[in-house]
Amino acid sequence: MKTQITDMQGDISVSFDFIPVLAHEVRNPLTNINLSVEILDSFLHDSEMKVYTEVIRRNVGRINQLILDLLNRQKFADMMPVQLSVHDLLNEVVAITHDRCSLKHIEIVKSFEEDRLVVWNRSNMIIALTNIVINAVDAMSSTTGVLQLTAKCDDGKYVLRIKDNGCGISKQNLKNIFKAYYTSKEGGLGLGLSITLAILKQNGIDVVVESSAGYGTCFILSF
Ligand SMILES: Nc1ncnc2c1ncn2[C@@H]1O[C@H](COP(=O)(O)OP(=O)(O)OP(=O)(O)O)[C@@H](O)[C@H]1O
Ligand SMILES: [Mg+2]
């Protein structure tokens, strides 16, 4: 049975005072990872193995960039919304999540119709869309996973759909997914979607989630 959730109440704010402290502390282990991967790389002569050190390097770079964005945000109070192409933003999210998808052999099917220019907070929106995509990847199997990304005009609104054929969410759990600290994953923080909802609201975007336990989930964003 397909169930749907709308009208979510967010319970988390996008700004946290502990960000500068956390950002500073996260850079120490990251530097250690970088140094270790360089040493590891110098011992690797097999190009197939080097693919994995490249993945580590790229993703450490992404974490570093996120930390810099967070620190800049503290300096400039709140980052200003800017004019963006929805297609460019989606392509950037696909690039950022590419490693995670390819490590799990997830097929990505893009269907982007006409583009739309929007005025959004760019780095926040990348975080929001990336969270939705990563959850979809987590929910799918590595043998049959297909992620569909659709962007098109529908009834005067622009609509983005992020659809997976993963484990789905039961009607009972669907009520909780946007709550801070709700997680069904071992090692999950349960923060991704509460942050995502706050960012979507901040940018005037409505979200509806449709899911069928056992069949998959679709996040529908409209504006
Ligand atoms: N596409 C999806 N398919 C199945 N379940 C999902 C999907 N997206 C979200 N969920 C459910 O919603 C829960 C909350 O997601 P959320 O991103 O907030 O936290 P998380 O992924 O568990 O941890 P993290 O904070 O590390 O992202 C997940 O634990 C999962 O149960
Ligand atoms: Mg998550």
Side-chain angles (χ1 to χ4, degrees):
M1 186 187 61
K2 186 149 98 175
T3 49
Q4 201 182 64
I5 181 172
T6 51
D7 258 359
M8 275 80 47
Q9 293 301 310
D11 55 2
I12 200 160
S13 146
V14 252
S15 72
F16 305 94
D17 285 331
F18 62 84
I19 280 174
V21 180
L22 190 68
H24 181 260
E25 294 310 306
V26 168
R27 283 173 79 95
N28 294 330
L30 270 188
T31 306
N32 294 343
I33 294 173
N34 249 341
L35 291 172
S36 305
V37 96
E38 252 155 55
I39 295 168
L40 193 61
D41 222 22
S42 69
F43 288 108
L44 290 179
H45 302 294
D46 178 347
S47 60
E48 271 185 38
M49 298 309 287
K50 278 182 184 272
V51 168
Y52 296 106
T53 49
E54 262 312 302
V55 169
I56 298 173
R57 226 194 291 276
R58 252 199 312 276
N59 286 280
V60 165
R62 169 76 184 137
I63 298 173
N64 257 323
Q65 190 52 53
L66 282 169
I67 291 169
L68 291 176
D69 285 352
L70 286 174
L71 291 174
N72 277 336
R73 196 174 309 213
Q74 289 284 311
K75 266 193 251 158
F76 303 116
D78 206 358
M79 293 215 311
M80 297 301 288
V82 290
Q83 183 165 286
L84 304 164
S85 135
V86 172
H87 285 189
D88 287 352
L89 193 74
L90 289 174
N91 283 322
E92 194 161 344
V93 171
V94 169
I96 287 169
T97 53
H98 175 266
D99 284 337
R100 187 74 165 252
C101 291
S102 71
L103 287 170
K104 213 171 165 184
H105 312 290
I106 301 292
E107 183 189 346
I108 301 176
V109 180
K110 292 196 289 184
S111 163
F112 298 169
E113 291 180 13
E114 80 248 54
D115 200 1
R116 165 89 42 116
L117 288 178
V118 288
V119 178
W120 284 344
N121 182 311
R122 187 175 165 283
S123 51
N124 275 358
M125 281 303 295
I126 287 178
I127 291 171
L129 295 171
T130 300
N131 277 336
I132 297 173
V133 170
I134 297 289
N135 281 340
V137 172
D138 283 348
M140 288 188 282
S141 110
S142 55
T143 47
T144 55
V146 181
L147 179 71
Q148 283 176 270
L149 300 177
T150 315
K152 65 174 183 175
C153 274
D154 215 341
D155 256 350
K157 288 218 156 194
Y158 200 85
V159 182
L160 303 180
R161 286 188 172 78
I162 301 169
K163 187 170 192 270
D164 67 66
N165 61 348
C167 61
I169 309 167
S170 68
K171 191 176 176 185
Q172 181 63 30
N173 290 341
L174 200 55
K175 284 187 230 132
N176 298 321
I177 62 170
F178 288 97
K179 289 182 183 156
Y181 304 109
Y182 169 77
T183 183
S184 64
K185 300 175 194 173
E186 203 179 314
L189 293 176
L191 285 177
L193 283 184
S194 52
I195 293 167
T196 296
L197 182 61
I199 294 171
L200 295 177
K201 281 186 173 177
Q202 177 193 58
N203 288 281
I205 300 166
D206 292 326
V207 58
V208 171
V209 183
E210 292 179 349
S211 194
S212 307
Y215 292 94
T217 302
C218 185
F219 278 71
I220 305 165
L221 275 44
S222 59
F223 45 91

